[in-house]
Short mmCIF file of all heavy atoms in Angstrom, two decimals:
data_model
loop_
_atom_site.label_atom_id
_atom_site.label_comp_id
_atom_site.label_asym_id
_atom_site.label_seq_id
_atom_site.Cartn_x
_atom_site.Cartn_y
_atom_site.Cartn_z
N ARG A 61 -13.65 -4.84 -2.19
CA ARG A 61 -14.09 -3.73 -1.25
C ARG A 61 -12.81 -3.33 -0.40
O ARG A 61 -11.78 -3.95 -0.56
CB ARG A 61 -15.10 -4.36 -0.23
CG ARG A 61 -16.41 -4.79 -0.86
CD ARG A 61 -17.30 -3.63 -1.29
NE ARG A 61 -17.70 -2.83 -0.25
CZ ARG A 61 -18.78 -3.18 0.62
NH1 ARG A 61 -19.46 -4.14 0.36
NH2 ARG A 61 -18.97 -2.38 1.67
N ALA A 62 -13.00 -2.31 0.38
CA ALA A 62 -11.94 -1.90 1.32
C ALA A 62 -12.01 -2.65 2.64
O ALA A 62 -13.14 -2.77 3.15
CB ALA A 62 -12.11 -0.38 1.55
N TRP A 63 -10.91 -3.17 3.04
CA TRP A 63 -10.84 -3.94 4.23
C TRP A 63 -9.85 -3.41 5.19
O TRP A 63 -8.86 -2.88 4.82
CB TRP A 63 -10.43 -5.41 3.94
CG TRP A 63 -11.31 -6.13 3.10
CD1 TRP A 63 -11.69 -6.00 1.73
CD2 TRP A 63 -12.26 -7.20 3.55
NE1 TRP A 63 -12.67 -6.92 1.38
CE2 TRP A 63 -13.04 -7.63 2.52
CE3 TRP A 63 -12.48 -7.79 4.83
CZ2 TRP A 63 -13.99 -8.63 2.58
CZ3 TRP A 63 -13.47 -8.68 4.90
CH2 TRP A 63 -14.23 -9.20 3.84
N TYR A 64 -10.12 -3.63 6.48
CA TYR A 64 -9.09 -3.40 7.55
C TYR A 64 -8.83 -4.67 8.14
O TYR A 64 -9.64 -5.60 8.22
CB TYR A 64 -9.64 -2.28 8.44
CG TYR A 64 -10.81 -2.54 9.29
CD1 TYR A 64 -10.87 -3.25 10.44
CD2 TYR A 64 -11.99 -2.02 8.71
CE1 TYR A 64 -11.98 -3.42 11.11
CE2 TYR A 64 -13.26 -2.24 9.44
CZ TYR A 64 -13.17 -2.92 10.67
OH TYR A 64 -14.36 -3.23 11.37
N MET A 65 -7.62 -4.80 8.74
CA MET A 65 -7.11 -5.97 9.33
C MET A 65 -6.35 -5.79 10.58
O MET A 65 -5.77 -4.68 10.81
CB MET A 65 -6.27 -6.83 8.41
CG MET A 65 -7.00 -7.17 7.01
SD MET A 65 -5.85 -8.20 5.86
CE MET A 65 -5.94 -9.80 6.75
N GLY A 66 -6.32 -6.77 11.42
CA GLY A 66 -5.66 -6.51 12.76
C GLY A 66 -5.11 -7.87 13.27
O GLY A 66 -5.45 -9.01 12.85
N TRP A 67 -4.22 -7.70 14.21
CA TRP A 67 -3.65 -8.84 15.05
C TRP A 67 -4.17 -8.75 16.50
O TRP A 67 -4.02 -7.66 17.05
CB TRP A 67 -2.10 -8.90 14.98
CG TRP A 67 -1.56 -9.29 13.67
CD1 TRP A 67 -1.08 -8.49 12.68
CD2 TRP A 67 -1.40 -10.58 13.25
NE1 TRP A 67 -0.62 -9.20 11.68
CE2 TRP A 67 -0.75 -10.55 11.97
CE3 TRP A 67 -1.66 -11.82 13.77
CZ2 TRP A 67 -0.50 -11.75 11.22
CZ3 TRP A 67 -1.37 -13.09 12.95
CH2 TRP A 67 -0.76 -12.92 11.78
N PHE A 68 -4.60 -9.81 16.97
CA PHE A 68 -5.04 -9.91 18.36
C PHE A 68 -4.28 -11.05 19.08
O PHE A 68 -3.82 -11.94 18.39
CB PHE A 68 -6.50 -10.13 18.52
CG PHE A 68 -7.37 -8.91 18.08
CD1 PHE A 68 -7.48 -8.63 16.74
CD2 PHE A 68 -8.00 -8.11 18.99
CE1 PHE A 68 -8.21 -7.52 16.30
CE2 PHE A 68 -8.79 -7.05 18.66
CZ PHE A 68 -8.86 -6.67 17.32
N ARG A 69 -4.22 -11.12 20.37
CA ARG A 69 -3.62 -12.10 21.00
C ARG A 69 -4.33 -12.45 22.35
O ARG A 69 -4.97 -11.65 22.90
CB ARG A 69 -2.11 -11.84 21.35
CG ARG A 69 -1.92 -10.73 22.46
CD ARG A 69 -0.48 -10.48 22.59
NE ARG A 69 -0.13 -9.59 23.78
CZ ARG A 69 1.00 -9.14 24.09
NH1 ARG A 69 2.06 -9.52 23.40
NH2 ARG A 69 1.11 -8.41 25.26
N GLN A 70 -4.22 -13.77 22.80
CA GLN A 70 -4.84 -14.15 24.00
C GLN A 70 -3.92 -15.19 24.72
O GLN A 70 -3.57 -16.17 24.18
CB GLN A 70 -6.21 -14.79 23.70
CG GLN A 70 -7.02 -15.07 24.95
CD GLN A 70 -8.47 -15.55 24.69
OE1 GLN A 70 -8.75 -16.02 23.61
NE2 GLN A 70 -9.31 -15.24 25.56
N ALA A 71 -3.57 -14.80 25.93
CA ALA A 71 -2.80 -15.72 26.81
C ALA A 71 -3.74 -16.44 27.64
O ALA A 71 -4.87 -16.02 27.90
CB ALA A 71 -1.86 -14.86 27.62
N PRO A 72 -3.36 -17.70 28.10
CA PRO A 72 -4.28 -18.47 29.07
C PRO A 72 -4.74 -17.70 30.23
O PRO A 72 -4.04 -17.10 30.89
CB PRO A 72 -3.35 -19.64 29.45
CG PRO A 72 -2.35 -19.72 28.39
CD PRO A 72 -2.12 -18.33 27.91
N GLY A 73 -6.09 -17.67 30.48
CA GLY A 73 -6.60 -16.91 31.63
C GLY A 73 -6.91 -15.43 31.46
O GLY A 73 -7.38 -14.87 32.39
N LEU A 74 -6.52 -15.02 30.25
CA LEU A 74 -6.56 -13.54 30.08
C LEU A 74 -7.55 -13.23 28.90
O LEU A 74 -7.87 -14.06 28.09
CB LEU A 74 -5.25 -12.88 29.77
CG LEU A 74 -4.14 -13.09 30.81
CD1 LEU A 74 -2.82 -12.37 30.39
CD2 LEU A 74 -4.63 -12.40 32.14
N GLU A 75 -7.94 -11.90 28.83
CA GLU A 75 -8.81 -11.43 27.81
C GLU A 75 -8.11 -11.42 26.42
O GLU A 75 -6.81 -11.10 26.45
CB GLU A 75 -9.49 -10.13 28.12
CG GLU A 75 -10.31 -10.15 29.40
CD GLU A 75 -11.72 -10.71 29.16
OE1 GLU A 75 -12.17 -10.49 27.96
OE2 GLU A 75 -12.25 -11.17 30.04
N ARG A 76 -8.80 -11.48 25.38
CA ARG A 76 -8.12 -11.29 24.09
C ARG A 76 -7.94 -9.71 23.92
O ARG A 76 -8.86 -9.00 24.25
CB ARG A 76 -9.04 -11.89 22.94
CG ARG A 76 -8.45 -11.77 21.66
CD ARG A 76 -9.35 -12.42 20.51
NE ARG A 76 -9.51 -13.84 20.73
CZ ARG A 76 -10.16 -14.56 19.87
NH1 ARG A 76 -10.59 -14.12 18.74
NH2 ARG A 76 -10.27 -15.87 20.19
N GLU A 77 -6.72 -9.43 23.44
CA GLU A 77 -6.48 -7.98 23.30
C GLU A 77 -5.85 -7.71 21.98
O GLU A 77 -5.20 -8.49 21.33
CB GLU A 77 -5.42 -7.57 24.41
CG GLU A 77 -4.14 -8.31 24.38
CD GLU A 77 -3.20 -7.90 25.38
OE1 GLU A 77 -3.42 -6.87 26.18
OE2 GLU A 77 -2.18 -8.65 25.61
N GLY A 78 -6.18 -6.43 21.51
CA GLY A 78 -5.60 -6.01 20.29
C GLY A 78 -4.14 -5.76 20.36
O GLY A 78 -3.65 -5.25 21.31
N VAL A 79 -3.42 -6.14 19.26
CA VAL A 79 -2.01 -5.97 19.27
C VAL A 79 -1.74 -4.77 18.23
O VAL A 79 -0.94 -3.82 18.59
CB VAL A 79 -1.26 -7.20 18.76
CG1 VAL A 79 0.19 -6.97 18.64
CG2 VAL A 79 -1.60 -8.27 19.76
N ALA A 80 -2.22 -4.83 16.93
CA ALA A 80 -1.93 -3.90 15.96
C ALA A 80 -2.96 -3.99 14.97
O ALA A 80 -3.56 -5.14 14.72
CB ALA A 80 -0.53 -4.11 15.37
N ALA A 81 -3.23 -2.96 14.14
CA ALA A 81 -4.15 -2.97 13.09
C ALA A 81 -3.78 -2.04 11.96
O ALA A 81 -2.98 -1.09 12.18
CB ALA A 81 -5.53 -2.55 13.66
N ILE A 82 -4.24 -2.30 10.75
CA ILE A 82 -4.02 -1.49 9.68
C ILE A 82 -5.28 -1.28 8.94
O ILE A 82 -6.02 -2.20 8.58
CB ILE A 82 -2.87 -2.18 8.73
CG1 ILE A 82 -2.59 -1.18 7.62
CG2 ILE A 82 -3.42 -3.50 8.20
CD1 ILE A 82 -1.32 -1.60 6.92
N ASP A 83 -5.65 0.03 8.79
CA ASP A 83 -6.92 0.35 8.29
C ASP A 83 -6.95 0.34 6.63
O ASP A 83 -5.72 0.06 6.17
CB ASP A 83 -7.30 1.76 8.69
CG ASP A 83 -8.86 1.91 8.88
OD1 ASP A 83 -9.59 1.27 8.15
OD2 ASP A 83 -9.22 2.77 9.75
N SER A 84 -8.02 0.54 6.02
CA SER A 84 -8.09 0.45 4.61
C SER A 84 -7.29 1.54 3.92
O SER A 84 -6.88 1.27 2.76
CB SER A 84 -9.60 0.54 4.14
OG SER A 84 -10.21 1.79 4.60
N ASP A 85 -7.05 2.55 4.60
CA ASP A 85 -6.20 3.71 3.98
C ASP A 85 -4.68 3.56 4.31
O ASP A 85 -3.96 4.44 3.98
CB ASP A 85 -6.79 5.04 4.40
CG ASP A 85 -6.61 5.33 5.91
OD1 ASP A 85 -6.27 4.39 6.63
OD2 ASP A 85 -6.97 6.47 6.37
N GLY A 86 -4.35 2.46 5.03
CA GLY A 86 -2.97 2.26 5.33
C GLY A 86 -2.56 2.72 6.81
O GLY A 86 -1.48 2.43 7.26
N THR A 87 -3.48 3.42 7.45
CA THR A 87 -3.27 3.92 8.80
C THR A 87 -3.03 2.68 9.67
O THR A 87 -3.87 1.81 9.72
CB THR A 87 -4.30 4.85 9.30
OG1 THR A 87 -4.59 5.88 8.39
CG2 THR A 87 -4.11 5.27 10.64
N THR A 88 -1.97 2.78 10.49
CA THR A 88 -1.74 1.74 11.51
C THR A 88 -1.97 2.21 12.94
O THR A 88 -1.96 3.43 13.28
CB THR A 88 -0.30 1.32 11.42
OG1 THR A 88 0.56 2.23 11.57
CG2 THR A 88 0.01 0.65 9.98
N SER A 89 -2.26 1.26 13.80
CA SER A 89 -2.47 1.55 15.20
C SER A 89 -1.95 0.41 16.00
O SER A 89 -1.96 -0.69 15.57
CB SER A 89 -3.99 1.86 15.58
OG SER A 89 -4.76 0.73 15.12
N TYR A 90 -1.36 0.74 17.20
CA TYR A 90 -0.70 -0.26 18.02
C TYR A 90 -1.20 -0.11 19.52
O TYR A 90 -1.42 1.00 19.95
CB TYR A 90 0.83 -0.14 18.01
CG TYR A 90 1.40 -0.28 16.55
CD1 TYR A 90 1.53 0.73 15.61
CD2 TYR A 90 1.91 -1.61 16.21
CE1 TYR A 90 2.13 0.40 14.43
CE2 TYR A 90 2.33 -1.83 14.95
CZ TYR A 90 2.60 -0.78 14.10
OH TYR A 90 3.09 -1.03 12.89
N ALA A 91 -1.25 -1.29 20.15
CA ALA A 91 -1.32 -1.25 21.61
C ALA A 91 -0.09 -0.79 22.21
O ALA A 91 1.00 -0.83 21.57
CB ALA A 91 -1.62 -2.67 22.12
N ASP A 92 -0.14 -0.28 23.42
CA ASP A 92 1.06 0.42 23.97
C ASP A 92 2.24 -0.63 24.16
O ASP A 92 3.40 -0.30 23.91
CB ASP A 92 0.73 0.98 25.40
CG ASP A 92 -0.12 2.23 25.38
OD1 ASP A 92 -0.11 2.89 24.25
OD2 ASP A 92 -0.78 2.54 26.28
N PHE A 93 1.89 -1.86 24.43
CA PHE A 93 2.87 -2.78 24.64
C PHE A 93 3.63 -3.27 23.40
O PHE A 93 4.72 -3.73 23.35
CB PHE A 93 2.38 -4.02 25.32
CG PHE A 93 1.36 -4.81 24.51
CD1 PHE A 93 1.77 -5.69 23.45
CD2 PHE A 93 0.02 -4.74 24.76
CE1 PHE A 93 0.85 -6.40 22.70
CE2 PHE A 93 -0.88 -5.47 24.07
CZ PHE A 93 -0.47 -6.29 23.05
N ALA A 94 2.96 -2.88 22.17
CA ALA A 94 3.56 -3.23 20.97
C ALA A 94 4.35 -2.09 20.31
O ALA A 94 5.29 -2.32 19.36
CB ALA A 94 2.41 -3.62 20.00
N LYS A 95 4.13 -0.86 20.68
CA LYS A 95 4.86 0.25 20.09
C LYS A 95 6.32 0.26 20.26
O LYS A 95 6.84 -0.07 21.27
CB LYS A 95 4.29 1.55 20.74
CG LYS A 95 2.91 1.87 20.39
CD LYS A 95 2.40 3.17 21.12
CE LYS A 95 0.92 3.41 20.77
NZ LYS A 95 0.47 4.66 21.60
N GLY A 96 6.98 0.36 19.17
CA GLY A 96 8.49 0.29 19.13
C GLY A 96 9.00 -1.13 18.96
O GLY A 96 10.23 -1.23 18.86
N ARG A 97 8.23 -2.10 19.16
CA ARG A 97 8.74 -3.44 19.08
C ARG A 97 8.13 -4.23 17.84
O ARG A 97 8.72 -5.08 17.24
CB ARG A 97 8.45 -4.22 20.31
CG ARG A 97 9.15 -3.56 21.57
CD ARG A 97 9.15 -4.59 22.66
NE ARG A 97 7.79 -4.83 23.14
CZ ARG A 97 7.30 -6.13 23.32
NH1 ARG A 97 7.96 -7.14 23.01
NH2 ARG A 97 6.01 -6.36 23.64
#
């Protein structure tokens, strides 16, 4: 099947947040803190 995948992170005491994702068609998306790095 077609799958999408992503990276998330969680620091102690903080909410889990999305870092980056890649969709089934190859489209990528990034959190602001991750863009360019």
Side-chain angles (χ1 to χ4, degrees):
R61 300 282 299 277
W63 293 75
Y64 57 88
M65 303 181 73
W67 287 99
F68 291 75
R69 71 183 189 183
Q70 186 170 28
L74 300 180
E75 299 280 329
R76 185 175 298 187
E77 61 182 347
V79 177
I82 183 165
D83 215 331
S84 58
D85 64 355
T87 301
T88 58
S89 55
Y90 296 89
D92 287 340
F93 64 79
K95 293 178 180 176
R97 298 192 300 128

